[in-house]
Amino acid sequence: MTVTVPSEPANYFHLLRRHALDGVRRPLVVFTPKSLLRNRAVVSPLEDFTSGGWRSVIDDPRYRDADGPATEVRRLLLCTGKIYYELAAAREARGITDTAIVRIEQLYPMPLEEIAAVLDRYPNADDIRWVQEEPANQGAWPYFGLELPQKLPNRLSKLTRVSRRRMAAPAAGSSKVHEVEQQEVIDQALADR
């Protein structure tokens, strides 16, 4: 089984293509929010569809094409799905230049080699945070929060979580409460310690 959270149209295309053509019949679970269909920032150039393939981890576009490590990055945010676009917009609006945002597109099986390669690109990032909009006891954090520090102890021994508080329900039930909580998550993710 493969569990994914594609956040780019081209990556979603390559995921479906890979799954249909790999010849192995296994379940594929894809989590995609409808809001990404309406978000104008969620686009892929034509070249991304015609070349390349599925990326289980997507590095920050600011630093992805740079040669060598991004030594100016002090904070690294790991996230999945649509919260990336909210974090990127808030980072731009606030003029933050020392923060990289990395998307984990494949939740299971965990892409450890790809995560380790991205972490190596940010040797000076001493503040690494997992950011999710789901409550602390839901979403990817219970799995990643336990597994990543054990499997990558040299880099992720102090991985911290930024999310809503623990809740029995996956959502607040009120759009106004959701907006306030979502803004708190964004503010906490981009705040200095």
Side-chain angles (χ1 to χ4, degrees), residues 120-161:
D120 289 343
R121 293 207 6 85
Y122 305 103
N124 296 334
D126 55 357
D127 181 7
I128 302 175
R129 304 174 188 183
W130 179 268
V131 183
Q132 68 178 28
E133 63 180 316
E134 296 87 6
N137 58 329
Q138 299 174 32
W141 172 252
Y143 174 59
F144 273 74
L146 290 172
E147 293 294 317
L148 274 179
Q150 287 181 0
K151 296 193 175 177
L152 299 170
N154 296 339
R155 288 302 311 271
L156 293 174
S157 60
K158 295 182 181 178
L159 179 67
T160 58
R161 170 191 49 84

Side-chain angles (χ1 to χ4, degrees), residues 17-37:
R17 184 174 179 270
R18 180 187 77 167
H19 187 71
L21 298 177
D22 72 356
V24 178
R25 299 285 182 209
R26 65 177 172 269
L28 173 65
V29 180
V30 181
F31 296 99
T32 56
K34 291 186 290 185
S35 65
L36 291 183
L37 295 172

Side-chain angles (χ1 to χ4, degrees), residues 10-11 13 20 64 76 82 84 99 102 136 150 157 172 179 190:
N11 213 30
F13 167 77
R64 174 173 35 207
L76 181 61
K82 76 178 188 85
Y84 164 78
T99 300
V102 174
Q150 287 181 0
S157 60
E179 289 174 18
L190 295 173

Side-chain angles (χ1 to χ4, degrees), residues 95-106:
I96 298 172
T97 59
D98 66 344
T99 300
I101 306 169
V102 174
R103 288 174 274 178
I104 310 296
E105 300 274 291
Q106 181 173 309

Side-chain angles (χ1 to χ4, degrees), residues 5-93:
V5 187
S7 61
E8 289 183 350
N11 213 30
Y12 186 42
F13 167 77
H14 287 297
L15 169 68
L16 295 176
R17 184 174 179 270
R18 180 187 77 167
H19 187 71
L21 298 177
D22 72 356
V24 178
R25 299 285 182 209
R26 65 177 172 269
L28 173 65
V29 180
V30 181
F31 296 99
T32 56
K34 291 186 290 185
S35 65
L36 291 183
L37 295 172
R38 295 181 297 273
N39 189 334
R40 293 187 185 273
V42 183
V43 295
S44 294
L46 184 59
E47 305 85 54
D48 288 357
F49 288 95
T50 58
S51 63
W54 164 253
R55 294 178 292 163
S56 55
V57 176
I58 299 179
D59 197 1
D60 193 316
R62 276 186 175 177
Y63 308 103
R64 174 173 35 207
D65 299 327
D67 292 333
T71 55
E72 65 276 10
V73 172
R74 303 284 180 237
R75 181 185 315 124
L76 181 61
L77 305 178
L78 304 174
C79 65
T80 62
K82 76 178 188 85
I83 199 164
Y84 164 78
Y85 294 100
E86 295 172 34
L87 290 168
R91 178 182 63 181
E92 295 301 319

